[in-house]
Amino acid sequence: MNECILVVDDDPEIVGAIAITLEREGYRVLRAYSGLEALDLALDPAVRLILIDVMMPKLDGLSALIRIREKRNLPVIVLSAKSEDTDKILGLSMGADDYITKPYNPQELAARVRSQLRRYTSLGDIHAEGRGNVIVNGRLRYDPDKSLLLADGDPVRLTPTETRIVDLLMRNPGRVFPAEEIYRRVWNEDAYACENTVMVHIRRIREKIELNPKEPDYIKVVWGIGYKMEQHG
């Protein structure tokens, strides 16, 4: 295991502590101490995942995240001292794949990194037996082999987590998935208070594929049950 992880925090002690945790797990760590520094290092193709703090001078973590997303599509875990749900939702809505509050548990951090990397490196490998056929649903066209979604013929820029959700829903049109099941199957871990996390990712996907995200034609809510991909001819 030699995946490279970029750790970004303006506190050198925090960066050092996280680096020790990750290096013990066998990862290689790049260190950055500002959002601006992170922008340059994130372009290194060896970087497979980014851990980034929210509160930093000059360029905060969420602003850096938006700019990184324009160049790279890789897992990003946000670190923050703020634990309120609104802050978590803000981080997820701006493109983060996961969110960890400080002070963090080293074992939890390492586990979340492993989970994100596992899903990233095996992206699209779930239900491998169903591969080989492009799935067409109305305006949407999904190629599982390439993990590529097209809307009206144009590629849709999805994060790794969004792609896993699209993969699940596109393969099962009409089936209703509770938020807990989506979380278990996409995040590969037990679901606990996961409704907001799933909701934010669904909202982001809608904003990218729906003509009117407020009145979606494709990803529908079945109140009290969950979400489904509407079948279109």
Side-chain angles (χ1 to χ4, degrees):
M1 181 188 298
N2 58 359
E3 288 98 336
C4 182
I5 298 173
L6 174 59
V7 178
V8 191
D9 197 302
D10 62 332
D11 187 331
E13 291 188 4
I14 291 177
V15 173
I18 293 175
I20 290 172
T21 296
L22 296 176
E23 287 167 351
R24 284 175 177 168
E25 294 287 324
Y27 299 111
R28 184 162 65 90
V29 177
L30 289 181
R31 309 180 188 204
Y33 303 99
S34 72
L36 289 174
E37 190 177 356
L39 294 180
D40 291 330
L41 292 176
L43 297 180
D44 185 338
V47 173
R48 305 303 296 273
L49 180 144
I50 299 174
L51 280 161
I52 189 166
D53 184 42
V54 172
M55 301 300 292
M56 292 186 292
K58 296 184 179 178
L59 184 66
D60 67 86
L62 295 183
S63 297
L65 169 59
I66 293 173
R67 293 170 64 174
I68 289 170
R69 276 277 179 250
E70 295 173 355
K71 303 291 185 179
R72 296 289 309 275
N73 187 22
L74 77 174
V76 178
I77 300 176
V78 168
L79 297 167
S80 177
K82 299 180 178 180
S83 60
E84 291 82 0
D85 282 345
T86 53
D87 294 305
K88 293 181 182 180
I89 291 172
L90 178 61
L92 294 171
S93 66
M94 296 180 76
D97 292 286
D98 204 351
Y99 192 109
I100 299 177
T101 57
K102 296 188 287 188
Y104 63 90
N105 178 295
Q107 287 75 28
E108 179 188 3
L109 184 143
R112 288 180 179 270
V113 166
R114 284 195 301 270
S115 176
Q116 288 293 333
L117 283 173
R118 185 169 59 246
R119 291 189 295 112
Y120 178 60
T121 55
S122 65
L123 187 60
D125 284 347
I126 56 173
H127 312 314
E129 69 279 2
R131 298 216 154 269
N133 295 318
V134 172
I135 302 169
V136 179
N137 184 10
R139 298 171 39 249
L140 304 181
R141 182 181 180 91
Y142 178 64
D143 185 338
D145 291 324
K146 298 178 180 178
S147 297
L148 174 65
L149 178 69
L150 303 178
D152 295 318
D154 296 322
V156 180
R157 291 177 60 89
L158 298 171
T159 68
T161 299
E162 292 166 0
T163 301
R164 297 283 288 200
I165 295 173
V166 166
D167 188 286
L168 178 65
L169 296 179
M170 286 291 288
R171 290 175 182 273
N172 299 277
R175 177 179 169 183
V176 181
F177 288 93
E180 293 81 3
E181 183 177 355
I182 293 175
Y183 192 90
R184 284 196 302 269
R185 296 181 66 164
V186 170
W187 275 261
N188 290 322
E189 57 188 51
D190 291 338
Y192 175 73
C194 64
E195 290 81 2
N196 280 342
T197 298
V198 173
M199 175 192 69
V200 170
H201 283 86
I202 291 291
R203 186 176 68 200
R204 279 181 12 207
I205 296 170
R206 281 174 168 167
E207 290 170 351
K208 297 177 180 181
I209 69 171
E210 300 283 2
L211 296 176
N212 181 358
K214 293 182 179 179
E215 296 181 5
D217 293 319
Y218 287 89
I219 301 182
K220 299 287 189 72
V221 172
V222 179
W223 295 109
I225 304 178
Y227 301 92
K228 70 172 182 176
M229 173 66 71
E230 193 74 57
Q231 179 75 59
H232 291 267

